[in-house]
Amino acid sequence: MKLILSCIEKITYIPAEYNVLVAQIIAAVLFLAILYFSARVFTWFCNKYLATIFAKLKADKWQKAMLTHHFFTAVGIVAAAMLAVNLHPVFITENVPWLSTLMGKLTGLFIVLSFAWLINTFLNTLNHLYGRNPNIPVKGLVQAVKIVIFLITGLFVLSLLLGRKPMYIVTGLSALAAVFSLIFKDPILGFAASIQLTTNNLIKIGDWITVDSAGADGNIIDISLTSVRVQNFDMTIVSVPTYDMISKPFKNWSGMYAAKARRIQRSIVIDVDTVKFLDRPMFDRLKKIKLLKEYLENKEAEIKAFNAEHDVKESVLNGRHLTNIGTFRHYAELYLKSRPFVVANDPNFTLMVRQLKPEAQGLPLEVYCFLNTTVWTDYEALMADIFDHLFSVLPEFGLYAYQQPSGRNIAQGIKELAQTEGKAK
């Protein structure tokens, strides 16, 4: 500045009272020009040479992501901003107050915005690398940090423009806290929910979830600050508010994939009119089934010993006897255990066939087991094979599944009734 002023003073046609102003304007222009060219040089250097460091470290993904989001350019701009801090006192003096104030604010804005841009590019790089990583769902957190950086940057910008300390601005804005809480309600709730979802590892991209309240049943394709996007199996996409993943119940099927097994829990409703004790012909016929032979022989010996011990003679109700539904239930369990695709010998996976509470339609007999596959099509095919077999063998046990009468059943009944009445006449 002193050198410029001395040169201006030698120019005779400039009035003396304007020497300082002209010198300061020239210094300010020179200061801005130096910052411009230094920013160009620094950004060129960072993009050309700093990026090669990552290539040598074999961090190609990081290098590509940083170049994509102009991280190295932002580093060069920050370097120019740091140079501005050191050059500002050299070129800008207090001799022209209004120009000094203007240049001070411009320099401050340049420094604040350059650092904010650097942080933003770094966050964009993180989101580019890990935003869709199922193990590190950082997209929501990145968006939350961006909002914080935006607010802090805005606070410093207002502070510089108004010439007030940041705490003064915060005090003034506190009166608008209620308004901001309404405007940023969803981001605030989403920020809290994102932290809980991430830290507790409740969901991640690729998980199959079911949210009944939102009509979502499919795979997570995106997790952001305010919403979780789910692609249903019918290829529709549902957006579920992030906060709903905390405040409302949902089902995550990732445990099924981790266990590599999927549960079957389905019932066959038995017509109770067909439930009865096993008679000798049926017993002998069922005894020829390999799966039941050992079971029936043991039960026969056990029941004979019990009935002989208690001298059971007069009524069948006085002793122990096998029923067709009990024998079928045991057969179903043995059948399931004999299938290679059913998890049978692991205590962590229950296998049973049980009776549920009788209903108006009949007696539900529930099959509860796990298949050693999580592939949907394979699971459905194997489950169908199991129930195809169980429905087919029901008549062998004298049992029938309940089915509500259809129009064809009623018409057949009327026809048979008419034929019976015709023969009677």
Side-chain angles (χ1 to χ4, degrees):
M1 173 63 185
K2 293 181 179 179
L3 179 62
I4 297 174
L5 181 59
S6 62
C7 293
I8 294 298
E9 289 175 346
K10 294 178 182 179
I11 302 175
T12 56
Y13 60 83
I14 297 178
E17 62 270 21
Y18 293 109
N19 287 342
V20 175
L21 176 61
V22 173
Q24 186 62 83
I25 292 175
I26 294 174
V29 173
L30 184 60
F31 172 69
L32 293 175
I34 291 174
L35 288 185
Y36 173 77
F37 286 108
S38 63
R40 295 293 298 268
V41 172
F42 287 145
T43 54
W44 172 82
F45 177 84
C46 290
N47 280 285
K48 186 173 181 60
Y49 294 102
L50 189 59
T52 59
I53 296 176
F54 286 86
K56 292 180 180 179
L57 295 175
K58 297 181 180 180
D60 295 336
K61 291 183 178 180
W62 276 90
Q63 181 194 34
K64 184 177 180 181
M66 287 179 170
L67 288 172
T68 301
H69 297 284
H70 310 290
F71 176 79
F72 298 113
T73 301
V75 172
I77 297 298
V78 168
M82 298 304 295
L83 180 64
V85 174
N86 295 304
L87 293 182
H88 185 272
V90 177
F91 287 89
I92 309 299
T93 65
E94 300 294 334
N95 295 329
V96 183
W98 67 268
L99 186 58
S100 175
T101 302
L102 175 62
M103 294 304 297
K105 291 183 177 181
L106 290 176
T107 304
L109 288 174
F110 178 54
I111 295 169
V112 170
L113 294 177
S114 62
F115 274 96
W117 187 33
L118 176 64
I119 297 173
N120 184 66
T121 56
F122 179 72
L123 292 174
N124 288 336
T125 302
L126 282 180
N127 185 57
H128 179 92
L129 293 171
Y130 301 108
R132 296 185 61 80
N133 190 317
N135 299 318
I136 314 175
V138 300
K139 184 174 181 179
L141 293 178
V142 166
Q143 291 178 329
V145 174
K146 279 188 175 183
I147 290 177
V148 174
I149 297 301
F150 171 78
L151 293 176
I152 294 175
T153 302
L155 177 63
F156 277 101
V157 168
L158 284 176
S159 176
L160 288 168
L161 293 178
L162 298 177
R164 298 285 186 173
K165 293 182 178 180
M167 289 305 300
Y168 178 85
I169 305 298
V170 172
T171 304
L173 292 176
S174 61
L176 300 176
V179 177
F180 279 113
S181 64
L182 291 175
I183 296 175
F184 296 103
K185 174 186 174 183
D186 291 337
I188 291 172
L189 293 176
F191 173 63
S194 294
I195 293 176
Q196 295 184 56
L197 292 173
T198 303
T199 55
N200 296 323
N201 196 27
L202 297 179
I203 58 173
K204 59 182 181 294
I205 292 176
D207 281 357
W208 170 15
I209 65 170
T210 302
V211 188
D212 293 330
S213 60
D217 185 21
N219 297 320
I220 297 175
I221 59 174
D222 187 48
I223 302 174
S224 65
L225 180 62
T226 57
S227 65
V228 175
R229 296 177 67 209
V230 180
Q231 185 173 41
N232 290 336
F233 296 120
D234 60 0
M235 305 310 292
T236 58
I237 295 177
V238 178
S239 181
V240 183
T242 306
Y243 183 69
D244 284 359
M245 305 301 294
I246 298 297
S247 61
K248 296 180 181 179
F250 72 95
K251 183 183 292 185
N252 190 336
W253 297 83
S254 60
M256 176 190 71
Y257 290 106
K260 298 181 180 179
R262 186 172 178 183
R263 184 184 67 179
I264 291 177
Q265 188 177 12
R266 182 178 291 185
S267 299
I268 298 175
V269 181
I270 303 296
D271 189 340
V272 293
D273 288 339
T274 62
V275 176
K276 60 184 178 180
F277 289 116
L278 287 184
D279 54 23
R280 176 49 60 178
M282 183 181 293
F283 183 89
D284 293 336
R285 187 176 72 252
L286 295 178
K287 197 174 179 180
K288 296 177 182 179
I289 301 174
K290 291 183 178 180
L291 289 176
L292 283 176
K293 183 177 180 181
E294 182 179 354
Y295 167 76
L296 291 177
E297 287 177 349
N298 293 336
K299 279 294 182 181
E300 183 179 28
E302 180 184 335
I303 291 173
K304 282 183 178 180
F306 177 88
N307 292 340
E309 181 181 352
H310 294 80
D311 194 23
V312 177
K313 294 180 179 179
E314 297 180 357
S315 173
V316 70
L317 300 180
N318 292 334
R320 291 177 56 187
H321 299 277
L322 291 173
T323 61
N324 58 348
I325 192 169
T327 305
F328 173 75
R329 180 170 52 82
H330 193 79
Y331 170 80
E333 288 186 358
L334 293 173
Y335 173 76
L336 293 174
K337 291 178 181 179
S338 69
R339 300 298 91 188
F341 49 79
V342 176
V343 182
N345 299 316
D346 192 329
N348 295 319
F349 299 96
T350 303
L351 188 154
M352 64 178 174
V353 179
R354 60 172 180 166
Q355 290 186 16
L356 300 182
K357 181 180 178 181
E359 301 173 350
Q361 290 78 14
L363 177 63
L365 206 62
E366 184 183 76
V367 174
Y368 191 103
C369 66
F370 289 83
L371 302 185
N372 58 8
T373 182
T374 57
V375 180
W376 190 11
T377 53
D378 294 345
Y379 167 81
E380 293 291 345
L382 294 174
M383 181 170 60
D385 289 342
I386 290 174
F387 281 89
D388 287 348
H389 179 81
L390 295 180
F391 275 109
S392 298
V393 300
L394 276 176
E396 293 293 324
F397 294 82
L399 296 169
Y400 291 94
Y402 174 82
Q403 177 178 296
Q404 289 186 346
S406 64
R408 183 177 60 83
N409 300 132
I410 295 173
Q412 183 66 25
I414 294 174
K415 182 178 179 181
E416 292 178 358
L417 180 61
Q419 291 176 351
T420 303
E421 290 180 351
K423 291 179 180 179
K425 293 178 179 180

